[in-house]
Amino acid sequence: MYQQVLAPLFGSLGWSALAASLPLLVLFALLGLVRMTAWKASLIALAVALAVAMVIYPMPADQALLSAALGAAFGFFPILWIVINAIWIYQMTVITGHFDVLQRSFSRISGDRRIQAVIIAFCFGALLEALAGFGTPVAITTVMLLALGISPMTSAVVALVANTAPVAYGALASPLVTLASVTELPLAELGALTGRQTPVLAVFVPVVLVGIIDGMRGVRETLPATLTCGITFAVAQFVAANHVSVPLTDIIAALVAAGATVLLLRVWSPSGAEPPTTANPDGRTQVLRAHAPYLIIIAVFVAAQLGPVADLLDATTVTFGWPGLDVRDAGGEMLSITEFKFNWLSGAGSLLLIAGLLTIPAIGIGGRAALGRYGATYRQLAWPIVTVMTVLAIAYVMNTSGQTATLGTWMAAAGGLFAFLSPILGWLGVAVTGSDTSSNSLFGALQVTAAEHAGMDPMLAAAANGSGGVLGKMISPQNLAIAAGAVGMAGREGDLFRRVLPFSLGFLLIMCLLVFLQSTPVLAWMTQL
């Protein structure tokens, strides 16, 4: 048995926090400065994390290695299991030609590739985030953007940056459900307060996406469409989170934003844009088949949330303690992350596999061809698979050894400045784990405790953890690997990291200022709407 120690180095929380940050510093330095491929950088960072755990923290070697094994297993299931099956569905549509049909159908919405990209990356991506989460929108929208003729690097950057504002309510609000569980705060109030933070980001994200694709000229030419998309998404997200349903928030916001943008395009188009294609050379049957995989995905995930179906699927879930792993927190309580939840039928990846099997007859692909694409998907994602499993191994070693708790506790000692730092803690958690759900699980209770000591509203601090966390997702090595692997750029995750880091930090600064002002009389009214 290992019990965490939060200040193992000279009994100093500051020095211990510096030591605990070494795996992250090494990982991001190798990615951003040395430009090392992600799988190599993550393996080196894992070695550093294990060394810190065993040398500086008094963690036995067997417990450290078992933690790494548990993290690697979690990296494959559920995370990679989702990505693999999502990209497999896409690959089947490519070889049958249905993806080309889908691309042409988007051109009938607008002849402007920039606006098509916003609808795909932001609106459709938000819908996928709402239903599945865990990397699914990045995996699918990246390749859809590539099909529009956007370069692989830009496609990956746009997909990653777009996957921000919707993340807090992803997978039917799983991050907030987890946050409510670990903090014992009401889900409805957490969801409502988060709905007074992330919509501020949503207003600007579509504008930023066009800027990434076409610079300031593109921003000016498409501003009516991007503002319509961002503002309607923000308003719908606020209204749904506060007055309708927390789990359905992103579904409502995505559909409202897409609908409002399409309506605008019927009466307005950007200057210099090609008129939308009105002719339909594919025929209604072909268009329906092209949309079928995504309609099937939505139908399968919606059906899986229905009471009787959800109960039936959940009955097959097996949860067990990872063999040999016995880790307690500083207070002596067993860590919940030492359990492995094997929801082999109800997990998002398994639902995507079911959707893929239903897609086979829907698009008319042969069984042998579909199986061949499945094998090709694994080969395409070989190095991203290594990267994601290794990064999650790092996260679990840091979490179980106490390195993550040390960093969080050190930041929580900031007193009055904690309101400003609170979103950074969530950002750090998602940067490490790639999941807002995991970050809320790690730091949710810590945020509440720190807020109480700092004289800050605990509800505001808890919500800030999730809202700040969404901005760490684009720089998480696992999501960088997913995006790079989806467009055949495995090995260039460092280049991708440098492209998205400024957006991550810029949005994070906005969120830090917003939460700080919400903790003061200046914007306190926002928390009472």
Side-chain angles (χ1 to χ4, degrees), residues 129-199:
E129 179 67 37
L131 295 169
F134 295 101
T136 305
V138 171
I140 291 179
T141 61
T142 300
V143 290
M144 293 181 72
L145 293 170
L146 186 63
L148 292 178
I150 299 173
S151 72
M153 176 63 74
T154 302
S155 295
V157 171
V158 168
L160 287 166
V161 174
N163 192 220
T164 48
V167 170
Y169 299 93
L172 294 174
S174 290
L176 287 166
V177 171
T178 300
L179 187 61
S181 174
V182 299
T183 61
E184 299 183 354
L185 295 173
L187 172 62
E189 293 184 29
L190 281 172
L193 188 50
T194 303
R196 299 162 199 171
Q197 295 172 343
T198 56

Side-chain angles (χ1 to χ4, degrees), residues 46-71:
L46 174 59
V48 174
L50 287 168
V52 171
M54 293 185 286
V55 177
I56 296 178
Y57 288 76
M59 190 175 199
D62 65 326
Q63 296 296 296
L65 293 172
L66 285 170
S67 297
L70 174 55

Side-chain angles (χ1 to χ4, degrees), residues 39-373:
W39 69 271
K40 292 180 182 178
S42 58
L43 285 172
I44 293 173
L46 174 59
V48 174
L50 287 168
V52 171
M54 293 185 286
V55 177
I56 296 178
Y57 288 76
M59 190 175 199
D62 65 326
Q63 296 296 296
L65 293 172
L66 285 170
S67 297
L70 174 55
F74 182 79
F76 187 85
F77 188 96
I79 295 170
L80 284 165
W81 185 234
I82 295 170
V83 176
I84 289 166
N85 289 308
I87 294 181
W88 170 53
I89 293 172
Y90 158 74
Q91 292 282 9
M92 287 193 294
T93 66
V94 169
I95 65 169
T96 57
H98 288 97
F99 200 83
D100 293 333
V101 177
L102 184 67
Q103 181 182 354
R104 288 192 290 271
S105 71
F106 274 107
S107 70
R108 287 190 290 276
I109 296 175
S110 170
D112 193 294
R113 186 180 63 174
R114 301 163 299 186
I115 295 178
Q116 294 174 25
V118 168
I119 294 173
I120 291 171
F122 188 68
C123 299
F124 186 57
L127 185 61
L128 292 174
E129 179 67 37
L131 295 169
F134 295 101
T136 305
V138 171
I140 291 179
T141 61
T142 300
V143 290
M144 293 181 72
L145 293 170
L146 186 63
L148 292 178
I150 299 173
S151 72
M153 176 63 74
T154 302
S155 295
V157 171
V158 168
L160 287 166
V161 174
N163 192 220
T164 48
V167 170
Y169 299 93
L172 294 174
S174 290
L176 287 166
V177 171
T178 300
L179 187 61
S181 174
V182 299
T183 61
E184 299 183 354
L185 295 173
L187 172 62
E189 293 184 29
L190 281 172
L193 188 50
T194 303
R196 299 162 199 171
Q197 295 172 343
T198 56
V200 175
L201 298 174
V203 172
F204 302 104
V205 171
V207 178
V208 171
L209 299 182
V210 171
I212 294 170
I213 296 170
D214 196 31
M216 287 305 300
R217 180 182 65 86
V219 169
R220 290 192 299 270
E221 292 178 353
T222 62
L223 200 58
T226 52
L227 285 180
T228 296
C229 184
I231 291 172
T232 54
F233 186 97
V235 171
Q237 193 178 53
F238 165 78
V239 172
N242 283 269
H243 304 294
V244 183
S245 166
V246 173
L248 297 180
T249 293
D250 274 351
I251 295 177
I252 294 170
L255 294 176
V256 168
T261 307
V262 170
L263 288 175
L264 173 68
L265 293 171
R266 291 190 174 184
V267 297
W268 172 90
S269 62
S271 60
E274 296 180 7
T277 304
T278 56
N280 186 359
D282 303 303
R284 290 185 178 180
T285 301
Q286 286 295 92
V287 172
L288 180 60
R289 280 191 163 190
H291 286 82
Y294 305 102
L295 295 174
I296 290 171
I297 289 172
I298 294 170
V300 168
F301 275 93
V302 170
Q305 307 307 319
L306 300 177
V309 179
D311 293 340
L312 182 63
L313 294 175
D314 288 338
T316 64
T317 298
V318 178
T319 303
F320 56 91
W322 195 251
L325 187 59
D326 187 359
V327 180
R328 313 296 172 93
D329 63 20
E333 297 292 325
M334 189 75 175
L335 288 185
S336 61
I337 62 171
T338 59
E339 291 188 340
F340 187 78
K341 183 180 180 181
F342 187 46
N343 50 341
W344 63 273
L345 189 55
S346 62
S350 299
L351 295 178
L352 280 170
L353 178 61
I354 293 170
L357 294 174
L358 294 173
T359 294
I360 292 174
I363 64 175
I365 186 175
R368 178 172 294 184
L371 184 60
R373 284 293 92 195

